[in-house]
């Protein structure tokens, strides 16, 4: 598999019509506008007649108007970060039949051993697929000491996290566990991510729509390309750190004379984040004090316990616990949520996907800050360090059990008990008289 060339998501993108941006006379513009309207009407009528059933399930129209009046249109942006897509049109298809699969299992969980073995036997013996497994999973004595399963493990391709690159070797991914397993799968791929099929074998399961009881038929459907898909946007995060190295000068007896010269260097690290970036005050008793920039402009200073920058997928995680709204994964947005802010008017906000956020420690901050990415890679942020966040060009294609809309509301009801309450009793005829 060559990156994203093997996978194609059939969708109707929201993209603006081309605009040359030059001076065009009124007659030429009118003629172009008329042609656009003709094409748009013919496309719209065809879509409404042939895809009427599909359109009933969608949230957006497949091709919104991008011309406004006789002379105005939207300027095309060649550097568009992402397209807004019709959720009902996002279907998985394969250019070539998939041959390799990465199986990710939650480690140190004895309840997943039997499902893991059953799935691997099915994939290798029945479907004749190449199975990739992380090496530390096979080091589990419950697997390595199983002689009956030993013949299957010999056929596996193994790898180690942070050492081996498998980005161009895996056609799709199967996760066994909870939401954390899917987050871990996302972290293994810093660019194009293969489609992910997640089975609910963990505690919460908001991101894992499949049940393992009928795994064979469900895996068959995915291999055949008969599945809906939701593109979960990720955040591209760059941490720029100032590295200070003090070289002390010593005399002949080893006594420090001065602190010496200070040499500065910069270290940059990049992450792909599926849920959220959390900046907090860490172990300090002081409030965190960080500056928040949007596209280079200072928009506010966060004073409180910290701030959460999340994707729509992450809006139902830490962000919703901090008082944020829940956003469907198909909405192109970035959410900024303060954690216990020192201001009653500091409410969560939603900004467009593609903007660049920058977080830095304020000059008058009493203490440093700490940052984590999907709950991992936690590190300290000092004066001079910066965290740059924007929408990634590499989303996580998550395979749906039914479709993106129904799966999401099902997770809200089953996992978060959204709007679950005791209903009022119906009024009787006697009650209505009073």
């Amino acid at each position: 598999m060559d990156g994203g060339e093997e996978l194609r998501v059939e969708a109707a993108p929201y993209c603006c019509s081309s605009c040359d941006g030059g001076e065009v006379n009124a007659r030429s513009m009118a003629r172009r506008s008329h042609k656009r309207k003709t094409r748009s009407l013919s496309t719209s009528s065809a879509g409404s007649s042939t895809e009427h059933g599909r359109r009933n399930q969608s949230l957006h129209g497949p091709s919104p108007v991008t011309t406004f009046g006789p002379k105005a249109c939207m300027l095309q942006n060649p550097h568009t970060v992402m397209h807004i897509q019709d959720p009902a049109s996002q279907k998985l298809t394969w250019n070539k039949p998939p041959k390799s699969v990465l199986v990710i299992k939650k480690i140190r969980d004895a309840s997943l051993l039997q499902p893991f073995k059953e799935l691997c036997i099915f994939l290798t013996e029945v479907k004749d697929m190449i199975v990739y497994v992380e090496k530390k999973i096979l080091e589990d004595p419950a697997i390595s000491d199983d002689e009956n399963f030993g013949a299957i493990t010999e056929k596996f391709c193994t790898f180690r996290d942070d050492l081996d690159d498998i980005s161009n070797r895996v056609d799709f991914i199967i996760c066994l566990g909870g939401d954390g397993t899917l987050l871990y799968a996302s972290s293994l791929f810093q660019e194009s991510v293969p489609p992910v099929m997640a089975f609910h074998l963990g505690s919460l399961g908001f991101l894992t729509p499949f049940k393992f009881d009928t795994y064979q038929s469900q895996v068959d459907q995915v291999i055949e390309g008969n599945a809906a898909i939701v593109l979960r946007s990720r955040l591209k995060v760059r941490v720029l750190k100032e590295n200070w190295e003090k070289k002390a000068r010593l005399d002949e007896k080893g006594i420090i004379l001065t602190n010496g010269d200070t040499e500065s260097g910069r270290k940059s690290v990049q992450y792909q984040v599926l849920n959220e970036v959390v900046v907090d005050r860490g172990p300090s008793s002081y409030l965190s004090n960080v500056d928040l920039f949007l596209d280079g402009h200072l928009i506010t200073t966060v004073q409180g316990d910290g701030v959460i920058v999340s994707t729509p997928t992450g809006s139902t995680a830490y962000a919703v616990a901090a008082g944020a709204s829940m956003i469907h994964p198909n909405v192109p947005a970035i959410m900024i949520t303060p954690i216990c802010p020192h201001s009653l008017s500091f409410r969560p906000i939603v900004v467009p996907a593609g903007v660049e956020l920058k977080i830095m420690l304020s000059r008058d901050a009493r203490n440093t800050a700490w940052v984590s990415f999907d709950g991992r890679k936690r590190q300290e942020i000092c004066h001079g360090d910066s965290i740059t966040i924007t929408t990634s060009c590499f989303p996580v294609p998550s395979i749906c059990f039914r479709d993106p809309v129904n799966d999401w509301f099902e997770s809200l009801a089953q996992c978060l008990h959204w709007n679950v309450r005791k209903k009022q009793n119906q009024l009787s005829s006697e009650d209505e008289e009073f």
Side-chain angles (χ1 to χ4, degrees), residues 14 16 19 41 80 109 191 216 254 256 260 298 309 313 338 370 402:
Y14 278 160
C16 59
C19 175
L41 288 173
T80 302
D109 192 339
E191 292 187 355
Q216 295 187 4
I256 299 177
L298 177 65
V309 180
T313 297
W370 290 76
R402 286 189 293 177

Side-chain angles (χ1 to χ4, degrees), residues 40-85:
S40 178
L41 288 173
S42 62
T43 304
S44 177
S45 61
S48 61
S49 61
T50 59
E51 302 180 0
H52 178 72
R54 180 178 65 81
R55 294 273 9 104
N56 290 340
Q57 298 180 4
S58 68
L59 294 178
H60 311 284
S63 54
V65 176
T66 54
T67 57
F68 314 102
K71 294 186 178 180
C73 67
M74 188 181 297
L75 182 65
Q76 185 178 13
N77 182 8
H79 302 292
T80 302
V81 175
M82 63 184 300
H83 296 297
I84 304 175
Q85 297 174 327

